C-alpha cells in the first residue's frame, strides 16, 4: 500500500523548469548581438568567453562584438548567418531561462518553427529605424499561430535614432498595430541598444523618458511554465517488448505521474488497463514514474497497443485528449509547390503517422497586410488554417506552447517534412462535401518495392495533334507488357469517350479534361503502375496543373513533330476540318501550342514509333 502512494521526486521539488525564451527578428536587426549582451549583463557568460569575444573583436579592428558569442558554429563564420536554432541556458536572480535563438533568414524557417514551438515567451527584435520588415511580419505570424503567450518587443538600435522619444514612439505604434492585427498581446515594447547595453539589464541614461521595464525585468515578469509533473499523465507507445510470457509497453513519460495500480486508457480505441508494474533498465526500482523517464509498463489485462498510441489516465481530473477524424490545424507550409485541397499527406505525431487528406483550406495569411483570406492554395512558405481528415479517428492533445501536445508535422510520400502543423482541435462538419474521407493504400511504396514492384510514375506525352503520341505510347505499352511490367495508357480519345465524355472543347473544359486525367494518372502511379498519358496539352499552364496534381512522379515528354508533318498526316481529318472552318480553336490552326522550355525528354516520331519507343523505354527505366 505504501508503495502505491510513493511520491515521485518531480512532485516534491520546488524548483521550476527553465523558462524557454525564443528570440526572433529580421536578419541584421541584432538578435545575436542581443544574446551576447544579455548573457554578459546577467553574468551568464562561461568563464573565459568574454576574453575570447574581446580578442576576436580586436583582431577584426572592431569594438566589442557581442554577436561573436554565437559564432562558435563554423558555418556561421563562413556564411555570416544562423542556420539552426541554438539553445543557451542562463540564470537571472536564481531563475533558469533557456534562450532559443531562431534564425532570421527566410530559408531557415523550418528550423525556426522547431525552435519557437517550445517557447514560453518571445523577444521580437526590430530595428527601430527600419521598422517591421518581411521577416518581422513572418515571425510575428509564426508567434501568433503557435500561440506564444508572452511577447516582448525590443526596439533595437535606438541609439541610431539618438533615443528620440517621438520617433521611437512612432515606431512602437507601428509594431503594436502590426501585432494587434494578429491578436498578439504585447507585454512590453522596450527602446534599447543591444550593442551598448541600453535598457537590457539596466535602465539607460539616454532614455530618461522611458518608464517601462528593462529587457531582463520584462523576462523576469514572465510566469514560469507549470511543472510537467503536475499535468495530466501522457505517454506515447514507442514499442512493445516480450520477455518469456511477460509483455511490456515501453515509452517515455511526456508529462504527469504514473503509479503502479493506476488505470490507463490506450489510444483511439479507448481500451483501459491497470498498471501492474513499472520497470526500468539499469535504474533503482520505483513504483512511480514522472516526466522524462523512459519506462516499461506491464498491463492487466495484457493489452497490446500499437506503436504511437497515446496513453493517459482516465481517472485524473484533467482535460482529456481529443478524438476525431477531422482535425483543424495551423500549417506552416515549407514546400516550394503549393498545398491544395485534396492533397494526401501523412500527419506525424511523435512516432505515429496517420494518412490524412487536406479537406479544406479555411484561410490563408496575406503577409503583405497580415489579413486572413480565402484561397484555394497555400503558397510556398505560407501560413494557413486547414482541416485534415483521416479514415479513422486520431487521439491527440490540442497544441499547447511549451509542451509536446499537438505538435504535428506533415510529411510527403518521400518522408520529407513539408509543413509544421500544430493541431488546434476537432473540426466540425460545415458542408456535406466535407464528409469525404479519401483513404490511402495500406501498401507503402517501400513494401511494393520489397515485393519486386517498380516505382509508379506518370509520363505525360504532349505534342501537336497527329504528332504520334498515342502511337508511341501504345508501342511502349506493348513492349513493357512483354517484359512483365505494369503499364497503362490514358490517351485523349479514350478519355473523351468515357470518363470525360461530358466535356466540350472550351478552354475551361479542356482544362477540366487535364485535371481529371491527372488525378486518375496519379492513382495508377501510386498503385505502382507506369502511366503513359497522351494528350495534346498545348498550354504550359495546363501541363503545370498536371504536374502539380501528380507531384514528383511526373515527367513531361515532348513528342516533337513539326506542324507541317502533323498536318500532312491528318489521320482523322481534323486539320482539314479546321481549315474548312468546321472546327474552332484547333491547336496548330487557330489555337496556340506552347513548347516547353525544358521538357524531361524530347522524342521524335519522324524516324518511326519503334525508334522513339526504344529511346522512351530507356528513359522510363531511369524513373521506375
Amino acid at each position: 500500500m505504501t508503495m502505491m502512494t510513493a511520491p515521485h521526486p518531480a512532485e516534491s521539488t520546488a524548483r521550476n523548469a527553465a523558462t524557454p525564451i525564443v528570440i526572433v527578428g529580421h536578419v541584421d536587426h541584432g538578435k545575436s548581438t542581443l544574446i551576447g549582451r544579455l548573457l554578459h549583463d546577467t553574468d551568464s557568460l562561461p568563464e573565459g568567453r568574454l576574453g575570447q569575444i574581446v580578442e576576436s573583436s580586436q583582431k577584426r579592428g572592431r569594438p566589442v562584438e557581442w554577436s561573436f558569442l554565437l559564432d562558435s558554429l563554423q558555418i556561421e563564420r563562413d556564411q555570416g548567418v544562423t542556420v539552426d536554432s541554438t539553445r543557451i541556458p542562463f540564470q537571472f536572480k536564481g531563475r533558469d531561462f533557456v534562450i532559443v535563438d531562431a534564425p532570421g533568414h527566410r530559408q531557415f524557417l523550418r528550423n525556426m518553427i522547431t525552435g519557437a514551438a517550445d517557447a514560453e515567451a518571445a523577444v521580437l527584435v526590430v530595428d527601430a529605424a527600419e521598422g517591421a520588415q518581411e521577416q518581422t511580419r513572418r515571425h510575428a505570424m509564426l508567434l501568433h499561430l503557435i500561440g506564444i503567450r508572452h511577447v516582448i518587443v525590443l526596439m533595437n538600435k535606438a541609439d541610431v535614432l539618438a533615443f528620440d522619444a517621438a520617433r521611437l514612439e512612432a515606431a512602437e505604434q507601428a509594431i503594436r498595430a502590426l501585432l494587434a492585427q494578429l491578436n498578439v498581446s504585447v507585454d512590453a515594447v522596450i527602446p534599447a541598444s543591444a550593442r551598448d547595453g541600453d535598457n537590457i539589464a539596466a535602465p539607460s541614461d539616454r532614455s530618461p523618458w522611458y518608464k517601462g521595464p528593462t529587457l531582463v525585468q520584462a523576462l523576469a515578469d514572465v510566469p514560469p511554465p507549470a511543472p510537467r509533473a503536475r499535468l495530466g499523465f501522457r505517454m506515447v507507445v514507442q514499442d512493445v517488448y516480450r520477455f518469456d510470457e511477460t509483455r511490456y509497453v515501453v515509452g517515455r513519460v511526456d508529462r504527469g505521474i504514473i503509479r503502479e495500480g493506476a488505470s490507463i486508457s490506450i489510444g483511439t480505441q479507448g481500451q483501459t488497463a491497470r498498471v501492474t508494474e513499472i520497470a526500468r533498465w539499469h535504474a533503482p526500482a520505483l513504483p512511480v514514474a514522472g516526466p522524462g523517464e523512459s519506462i516499461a509498463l506491464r498491463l492487466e489485462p495484457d493489452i497490446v497497443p500499437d506503436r504511437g498510441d497515446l496513453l493517459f489516465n482516465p481517472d485524473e481530473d484533467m482535460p482529456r485528449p481529443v478524438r476525431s477524424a477531422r482535425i483543424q490545424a495551423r500549417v506552416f507550409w515549407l514546400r516550394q509547390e503549393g498545398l491544395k485541397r485534396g492533397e494526401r499527406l501523412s500527419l506525424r505525431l511523435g512516432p505515429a503517422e496517420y494518412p490524412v487528406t487536406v479537406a479544406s483550406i479555411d484561410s490563408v495569411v496575406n503577409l503583405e497586410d497580415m489579413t486572413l483570406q480565402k484561397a484555394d492554395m497555400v503558397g510556398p512558405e505560407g501560413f494557413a488554417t486547414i482541416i485534415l481528415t483521416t479514415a479513422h479517428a486520431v487521439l491527440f492533445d490540442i497544441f499547447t506552447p511549451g509542451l509536446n501536445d499537438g505538435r504535428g508535422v506533415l510529411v510527403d510520400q518521400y518522408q520529407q517534412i513539408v509543413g509544421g502543423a500544430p493541431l488546434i482541435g476537432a473540426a466540425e462538419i460545415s458542408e456535406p462535401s466535407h464528409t469525404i474521407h479519401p483513404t490511402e493504400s495500406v501498401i507503402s511504396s517501400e513494401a511494393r518495392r520489397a515485393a519486386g514492384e517498380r516505382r509508379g510514375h506518370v509520363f505525360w506525352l504532349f505534342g501537336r495533334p497527329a504528332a504520334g503520341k498515342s502511337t508511341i505510347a501504345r508501342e511502349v505499352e506493348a513492349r513493357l507488357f512483354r517484359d512483365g511490367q505494369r503499364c497503362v495508357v490514358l490517351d485523349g480519345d479514350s478519355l473523351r469517350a468515357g470518363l470525360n465524355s461530358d466535356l466540350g472543347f472550351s478552354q475551361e473544359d479542356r482544362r477540366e479534361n487535364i485535371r481529371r486525367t491527372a488525378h486518375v494518372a496519379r492513382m495508377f502511379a501510386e498503385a505502382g503502375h507506369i502511366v503513359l498519358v497522351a494528350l495534346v496539352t498545348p498550354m504550359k499552364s495546363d501541363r503545370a496543373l498536371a504536374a502539380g496534381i501528380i507531384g514528383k512522379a511526373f515527367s513531361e515528354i515532348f513528342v516533337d513533330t513539326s506542324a507541317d508533318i502533323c498536318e500532312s498526316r491528318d489521320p482523322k481529318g481534323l486539320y482539314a476540318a479546321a481549315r474548312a472552318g468546321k472546327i474552332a480553336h484547333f491547336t496548330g490552326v487557330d489555337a496556340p501550342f506552347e513548347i516547353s522550355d525544358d521538357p524531361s525528354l524530347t522524342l521524335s516520331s519522324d524516324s518511326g514509333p519503334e525508334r522513339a519507343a526504344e529511346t522512351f523505354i530507356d528513359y522510363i527505366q531511369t524513373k521506375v
Side-chain angles (χ1 to χ4, degrees), residues 171-313:
E172 175 180 342
Q173 293 306 317
I175 192 68
R176 281 188 180 276
L178 168 66
L179 295 173
Q181 278 185 280
L182 302 173
N183 295 319
V184 174
S185 60
V186 179
D187 288 16
V189 179
I190 304 170
S193 169
R195 185 192 64 183
D196 300 334
D198 294 274
N199 291 327
I200 302 300
S204 171
D205 294 336
R206 296 194 283 183
S207 59
W209 49 268
Y210 175 67
K211 304 303 180 186
T214 64
L215 176 61
V216 168
Q217 290 169 337
L219 291 176
D221 290 339
V222 174
R228 291 193 175 194
R230 299 176 187 172
L231 303 176
F233 169 72
R234 295 290 188 275
M235 187 178 100
V236 177
V237 175
Q238 293 285 344
D239 212 336
V240 178
Y241 296 159
R242 187 182 182 94
F243 298 98
D244 298 326
E245 298 302 317
T246 305
R247 200 183 333 258
Y248 288 95
V249 178
V250 301
R252 182 174 181 271
V253 179
D254 183 58
R255 58 182 172 91
I257 299 294
I258 188 69
R259 292 182 172 83
E260 292 180 356
S263 297
I264 57 169
S265 180
I266 301 170
T268 305
Q269 299 302 320
Q271 297 169 296
T272 57
R274 187 173 64 87
V275 178
T276 59
E277 181 187 359
I278 298 175
R280 297 171 173 81
W281 285 266
H282 308 297
L286 194 65
V288 58
E293 289 189 78
S294 295
I295 59 174
L297 302 178
R298 185 158 59 88
L299 305 179
E300 178 60 38
D302 188 18
I303 295 173
V304 183
D306 293 328
R307 175 177 161 82
D309 270 351
L310 180 64
L311 309 184
F312 69 98
N313 186 341

Side-chain angles (χ1 to χ4, degrees), residues 219-546:
L219 291 176
D221 290 339
V222 174
R228 291 193 175 194
R230 299 176 187 172
L231 303 176
F233 169 72
R234 295 290 188 275
M235 187 178 100
V236 177
V237 175
Q238 293 285 344
D239 212 336
V240 178
Y241 296 159
R242 187 182 182 94
F243 298 98
D244 298 326
E245 298 302 317
T246 305
R247 200 183 333 258
Y248 288 95
V249 178
V250 301
R252 182 174 181 271
V253 179
D254 183 58
R255 58 182 172 91
I257 299 294
I258 188 69
R259 292 182 172 83
E260 292 180 356
S263 297
I264 57 169
S265 180
I266 301 170
T268 305
Q269 299 302 320
Q271 297 169 296
T272 57
R274 187 173 64 87
V275 178
T276 59
E277 181 187 359
I278 298 175
R280 297 171 173 81
W281 285 266
H282 308 297
L286 194 65
V288 58
E293 289 189 78
S294 295
I295 59 174
L297 302 178
R298 185 158 59 88
L299 305 179
E300 178 60 38
D302 188 18
I303 295 173
V304 183
D306 293 328
R307 175 177 161 82
D309 270 351
L310 180 64
L311 309 184
F312 69 98
N313 186 341
D315 296 334
E316 290 180 328
D317 187 20
M318 300 276 188
R320 295 188 177 190
V322 176
R323 179 182 181 277
S324 179
R326 294 175 51 79
I327 305 169
Q328 191 173 38
R330 295 164 177 160
V331 65
F332 324 117
W333 189 239
L334 301 170
R335 204 171 63 190
Q336 288 306 304
E337 296 83 16
L339 173 65
K340 301 173 185 174
R341 181 186 174 192
E343 184 152 0
R344 285 176 284 176
L345 300 162
S346 291
L347 172 65
R348 183 180 296 168
L349 281 174
E353 280 195 19
Y354 305 96
V356 295
T357 300
V358 180
S360 67
I361 297 173
D362 291 353
S363 60
V364 173
V365 177
N366 182 342
L367 284 174
E368 292 298 322
D369 58 12
M370 306 304 289
T371 57
L372 300 178
Q373 299 181 350
K374 283 287 185 184
D376 297 327
M377 183 179 74
V378 184
E381 299 176 354
F383 299 89
T385 300
I386 65 175
I387 292 177
L388 302 170
T389 60
T390 63
H392 305 287
V394 174
L395 191 69
F396 63 95
D397 282 298
I398 295 174
F399 175 78
T400 304
L403 298 177
N404 291 325
D405 294 1
R407 291 182 63 178
V409 172
L410 295 174
V411 298
D412 63 13
Q413 59 179 317
Y414 303 101
Q415 292 297 298
Q416 293 180 329
I417 295 176
V418 293
L423 309 183
I424 55 178
E428 296 181 356
I429 298 175
S430 56
E431 298 177 22
S433 61
H434 288 182
T435 61
I436 298 172
H437 290 194
T439 59
E440 289 273 0
S441 172
V442 297
I443 306 171
S444 67
S445 56
E446 291 76 13
R448 292 184 183 280
R449 285 197 290 276
E453 290 189 7
R454 291 175 178 260
R455 183 184 292 112
H457 199 90
V458 178
F459 301 89
W460 196 281
L461 290 82
F462 74 100
R464 297 176 177 83
K469 302 179 293 298
S470 295
T471 303
I472 295 172
R474 293 300 183 189
E475 178 68 22
V476 170
E477 178 191 30
R479 296 189 184 202
L480 292 177
F481 177 77
R482 288 197 295 270
D483 291 343
Q485 299 185 47
R486 296 194 298 179
C487 176
V488 61
V489 175
L490 303 177
D491 81 289
D493 286 352
S494 300
L495 292 164
R496 287 282 187 177
L499 175 67
N500 297 335
S501 61
D502 60 321
L503 299 177
F505 290 89
S506 66
Q507 185 57 39
E508 292 75 18
D509 281 356
R510 289 172 189 267
R511 190 170 179 81
E512 176 62 12
N513 180 44
I514 290 165
R515 189 191 69 81
R516 293 184 190 178
T517 303
H519 278 289
V520 173
R522 173 178 165 168
M523 290 180 183
F524 275 112
E526 288 176 346
H529 285 71
I530 297 168
V531 187
L532 309 180
V533 177
L535 287 181
V536 176
T537 333
M539 309 302 291
K540 290 181 180 178
S541 59
D542 289 341
R543 298 195 291 271
L545 170 67

